[in-house]
Amino acid sequence: PVPMKLLRSCLHLLPCLSSGGSLLLAPPILMVVFLFVACARPGEKPGAKAEEKKAKTIAEVTKAADKLDGLVPLFRDRKTGKVHLQLSREHLGREFILFSYIENGVPGVGHFRGQYRGARVVVFERDYEKINLIARNTAFYFDPASPLRRASRANLTEATLAVQKIVAEDEAKGVCLIEADGIFLSDHLEQLKPREPEKKDAQRFSLGKLSAEKTRFAALRNYPANSDFVVDYVFEEKAPAGRTGDDVTDPRYVSVQFQYSLIAMPVNDYQPRHADERVGYFTSDLTDLTSTSATPYRDLIHRWHLRKKDPRAAVSDPVEPIVWWIENTTPAELRPVIRAAALQWNRAFLAAGFSNALEVREQPDDATWDAGDIRYNVLRWTSSPNPPFGGYGPSFVNPRTGQILGADIMLEWSFLTNRVKFERLFGETAAAEDADAKACCRLSHELHATVLAGQAALKFDGAPDVERSRLQREGLYYLVIHEIGHTLGLNHNMKSSQLHDPRTVHDAAVTAAVGLTGSIMDYPAVNLAPPGVAQGQFYSTGPGPYDVWAIEFGYSDRMDDPAQRQALLARSVEPALQFGNDADDMRTPGRGIDPRVMIGDLTSDAIGYAGQRVDRVRAALGRAAGRYDVAGGSLHELRDALLMLVREHGVAARVISRYVG
């Protein structure tokens, strides 16, 4: 049949042709009209085809799909796997938190299991027949009492992450349906491929092109407060360049698994707390554009929402404690140590007015949930071919308030093995450390190296195996407590190693009570006693005085009183509360101005202590011969021991060098 629009045009032309004397064109036009009528089916009205294109209902689109009820109802087609989101009037314009992390990946291309990618505020907005997913800008504050609030969106951009056409709608119920595939199975939400370095390395492996055909939903989970989307992204490169390890099965086809969680914006009585530069918390940066101050910052510290069961009590259990689960992947013999280490933080929370602030539970082997469920905070274990860390403790927050909503801690089996990360004695060790220094928390690499160096020194000295076991146990204690400290909101304190003098640092009676360092959030040297001195603690096994003070600042309800807040912060000048983080530490030559903000050092006489360390290492190396039985075996363990001791010598020299001038 001829389209109705063409028929109308022909009929409208007839009077014009007649009046203009162009009657010769009339017969062809009439023929078109005749064909239209003749081709129509008996009883068919003009425009019947348009009626056939009437939009399908939600029931029709989802008739072959399974429905998952939750925060945002989901439909997954049983035949094609296609996923739809059902949005109601209540969803549109409402703020959600979109959080993403990597469930599995390839460390060599920057994606590793447990890596948090961040959280941001998003909204679904309707634009006629389309739904836009918008990411809000949360970096600025406007005083509600200021007229400038009316210009709060001037020269500030928001990001349109994705646009999806409405495929079905029920106007009476106020709900519509959009495809989820176009949002999550693409690179709209995240930059999936790491940014290429300015100086390209021909040997560096990089991901290929995202495969639309192979990328798929691996899992969907829906709960009242969050909807989770687990996506397998597959990258293809027919002729890949660069080197890969055995962790990549085929470099032409590389998979990375992301999880996206759409989370309901919390509605509670949580009160944001503003940061202070004297205390090291992670923050959500916020700038007041209505302020006249030279420092118009209202940065929000990251912390959990702890409330007292008894608000009138000086110390009370919380309404909801911070609960940690030991994942069922954890070796059984390590679980008591991990539990005991995690619970050490309850000592610090007493100063903030909370008893039993943290609880530790074990995930049953038959648990119906896994660590990807953001409702659980999990201490997780992996054993990777090329581990990117030995421990890693991220958390995610509400960007509007700084409230911590969830956290995981990743622990690598490599930390407890006698394997070293570096394969060359000179050159590569320092280069690898410097390259990764700013990437994330590197305590696990530093700690693993110092544990191995300490064990080698003890073995060369002929120390009993029980001392070497204690060294490793204290190292694991330190790692767990440090990473949990990050999930409580604390960042590093690289100045806290100045707490004790070189004599007191070996007195276990003193250090067991207050710690070897002022903070567990430092990267200290392993505390090896010099010849003739009884061995004390190797590492701190609990929060230090700075940590207790910082937790009080972050979590005590007394800090709501400006006078009490200022009184607490005024104590920052006390030697035990010294603070300096990664922004000021001098691990890299030419950076920083205070050599006391340093990694790998210890005591208030860092030069003298480093000199002792050099002598200690030289003495141990002189006794290396005969300590390893290599008859018919390998020299690799001896080689690793020598490597770690030489590295320790270099760390001591690096500490001394920072004081020159």
Side-chain angles (χ1 to χ4, degrees):
V2 179
M4 179 62 75
K5 185 180 291 185
L6 177 59
L7 174 64
R8 287 172 179 164
S9 300
C10 294
L11 293 175
H12 289 158
L13 280 172
L14 286 176
C16 301
L17 293 171
S18 176
S19 62
S22 301
L23 291 175
L24 290 175
L25 294 175
I29 294 175
L30 290 173
M31 181 61 70
V32 171
V33 176
F34 169 77
L35 288 172
F36 176 84
V37 176
C39 292
R41 298 188 190 96
E44 184 181 75
K45 296 180 180 179
K49 284 294 182 180
E51 291 181 356
E52 288 182 6
K53 295 182 179 179
K54 183 179 179 180
K56 291 183 178 181
T57 65
I58 292 177
E60 289 172 334
V61 174
T62 61
K63 64 182 179 181
D66 294 320
K67 185 179 182 181
L68 286 76
D69 283 316
L71 177 65
V72 177
L74 307 175
F75 294 90
R76 187 168 196 174
D77 192 282
R78 290 186 292 273
K79 183 177 181 181
T80 65
K82 184 182 289 292
V83 177
H84 288 91
L85 275 67
Q86 180 176 288
L87 301 173
S88 66
R89 293 191 186 100
E90 289 72 26
H91 293 128
L92 300 180
R94 170 185 171 186
E95 288 191 340
F96 295 89
I97 297 171
L98 180 64
F99 164 65
S100 62
Y101 87 101
I102 296 173
E103 177 56 30
N104 226 340
V106 182
V109 294
H111 297 314
F112 55 84
R113 184 175 190 176
Q115 181 185 20
Y116 279 26
R117 305 278 292 191
R120 48 185 166 177
V121 176
V122 299
V123 294
F124 292 98
E125 291 185 349
R126 181 159 187 166
D127 181 22
Y128 297 99
E129 299 304 313
K130 299 180 295 184
I131 298 293
N132 299 334
L133 181 60
I134 310 292
R136 296 288 195 220
N137 189 322
T138 58
F140 301 97
Y141 171 82
F142 285 81
D143 187 342
S146 171
L148 284 170
R149 74 185 187 281
R150 299 186 181 93
S152 61
R153 303 187 73 171
N155 297 322
L156 300 178
T157 65
E158 295 181 338
T160 301
L161 302 178
V163 178
Q164 284 296 301
K165 184 179 179 180
I166 296 173
V167 298
E169 184 172 11
D170 187 331
E171 294 184 3
K173 293 182 179 179
V175 296
C176 64
L177 209 65
I178 63 173
E179 289 187 6
D181 299 40
I183 298 175
F184 296 98
L185 301 188
S186 64
D187 57 359
H188 292 321
L189 302 183
E190 287 282 349
Q191 181 178 320
L192 302 176
K193 296 177 65 172
R195 185 175 298 148
E196 293 289 340
E198 293 182 6
K199 295 182 179 180
K200 292 189 176 182
D201 182 0
Q203 299 299 313
R204 183 178 182 270
F205 178 72
S206 60
L207 293 172
K209 183 180 179 181
L210 182 65
S211 170
E213 180 182 2
K214 295 181 179 179
T215 295
R216 66 185 185 91
F217 285 107
L220 299 171
R221 293 188 286 265
N222 222 350
Y223 310 101
N226 59 285
S227 299
D228 296 343
F229 307 82
V230 183
V231 181
D232 275 339
Y233 291 110
V234 180
F235 298 88
E236 294 184 327
E237 180 61 66
K238 297 302 181 184
R243 295 178 299 177
T244 62
D246 291 339
D247 52 342
V248 176
T249 304
D250 189 326
R252 296 174 300 167
Y253 312 105
V254 178
S255 297
V256 178
Q257 190 173 87
F258 271 65
Q259 176 171 312
Y260 299 96
S261 293
L262 194 65
I263 306 167
M265 182 66 72
V267 179
N268 52 34
D269 58 354
Y270 177 86
Q271 295 298 312
R273 183 157 295 174
H274 296 295
D276 187 280
E277 62 273 13
R278 289 164 283 188
V279 192
Y281 272 84
F282 295 115
T283 62
S284 292
D285 297 344
L286 196 62
T287 301
D288 185 352
L289 291 186
T290 57
S291 172
T292 59
S293 170
T295 53
Y297 310 124
R298 297 171 57 89
D299 299 345
L300 309 175
I301 68 170
H302 294 175
R303 62 184 186 131
W304 295 86
H305 186 204
L306 286 184
R307 295 167 295 155
K308 289 181 177 179
K309 280 185 177 178
D310 183 358
R312 296 170 298 179
V315 177
S316 167
D317 281 359
V319 175
E320 293 182 14
I322 304 167
V323 179
W324 281 98
W325 291 84
I326 298 176
E327 192 178 35
N328 53 23
T329 58
T330 306
E333 66 274 15
L334 299 180
R335 297 180 188 186
V337 177
I338 293 171
R339 174 191 296 273
L343 292 176
Q344 288 295 315
W345 277 106
N346 280 334
R347 292 167 43 194
F349 275 94
L350 288 174
F354 289 98
S355 50
N356 304 309
L358 274 72
E359 291 184 8
V360 179
R361 305 171 187 172
E362 291 189 24
Q363 181 190 23
D365 289 340
D366 59 354
T368 57
W369 58 272
D370 59 37
D373 190 336
I374 64 169
R375 299 176 300 168
Y376 296 87
N377 310 307
V378 186
L379 288 144
R380 310 180 64 181
W381 279 87
T382 58
S383 182
S384 306
N386 297 299
F389 51 76
Y392 171 61
S395 61
F396 68 96
V397 305
N398 178 357
R400 292 287 190 199
T401 64
Q403 177 190 348
I404 297 176
L405 303 177
D408 281 337
I409 289 176
M410 302 297 300
L411 299 167
E412 264 285 351
W413 179 245
S414 64
F415 180 78
L416 297 173
T417 66
N418 194 26
R419 298 196 301 267
V420 299
K421 180 179 173 64
F422 314 112
E423 287 301 320
R424 294 189 184 133
L425 190 60
F426 299 107
E428 187 172 291
T429 301
E433 290 175 343
D434 288 341
D436 294 340
K438 297 180 181 179
C440 59
C441 175
R442 283 189 48 83
L443 171 76
S444 57
H445 288 324
E446 298 287 340
L447 195 60
H448 186 212
T450 61
V451 166
L452 291 177
Q455 289 185 323
L458 291 174
K459 185 164 186 172
F460 293 172
D461 290 347
D465 288 345
V466 65
E467 280 293 272
R468 299 175 66 203
S469 297
R470 179 168 73 90
L471 167 62
Q472 187 170 71
R473 183 175 183 274
E474 289 185 7
L476 180 58
Y477 243 77
Y478 195 97
L479 177 64
V480 172
I481 301 172
H482 179 103
E483 299 303 343
I484 286 185
H486 282 321
T487 68
L488 298 176
L490 300 180
N491 61 34
H492 290 138
N493 183 356
M494 305 307 195
K495 198 174 183 179
S496 75
S497 50
Q498 306 285 318
L499 182 62
H500 298 298
D501 60 56
R503 180 185 59 82
T504 308
V505 77
H506 302 296
D507 188 343
V510 175
T511 62
V514 298
L516 278 171
T517 58
S519 173
I520 200 80
M521 306 309 296
D522 205 337
Y523 288 11
V526 57
N527 184 37
L528 292 173
V533 176
Q535 179 63 54
Q537 283 188 295
F538 295 106
Y539 299 100
S540 289
T541 53
Y546 165 85
D547 304 316
V548 175
W549 177 70
I551 290 295
E552 184 175 3
F553 169 78
Y555 289 89
S556 172
D557 54 15
R558 295 188 298 274
M559 295 304 100
D560 295 331
D561 181 341
Q564 294 204 44
R565 174 185 167 105
Q566 289 306 316
L568 183 81
L569 290 171
R571 295 180 52 207
S572 66
V573 296
E574 296 177 14
L577 306 183
Q578 293 184 90
F579 168 67
N581 64 14
D582 306 71
D584 297 315
D585 75 51
M586 295 182 69
R587 77 180 81 180
T588 302
R591 193 180 87 172
I593 60 173
D594 186 347
R596 296 172 299 175
V597 188
M598 185 59 181
I599 65 172
D601 61 346
L602 202 59
T603 81
S604 55
D605 179 10
I607 296 177
Y609 190 87
Q612 289 182 10
R613 177 58 44 85
V614 169
D615 294 339
R616 184 78 165 77
V617 167
R618 285 176 174 171
L621 290 172
R623 292 188 290 270
R627 295 299 183 186
Y628 287 84
D629 182 10
V630 297
S634 170
L635 288 168
H636 205 91
E637 187 177 0
L638 173 60
R639 171 192 168 282
D640 286 351
L642 295 174
L643 170 60
M644 291 296 98
L645 283 171
V646 171
R647 177 189 182 277
E648 196 71 12
H649 187 288
V651 169
R654 181 171 63 179
V655 168
I656 295 171
S657 73
R658 299 305 187 260
Y659 287 84
V660 175

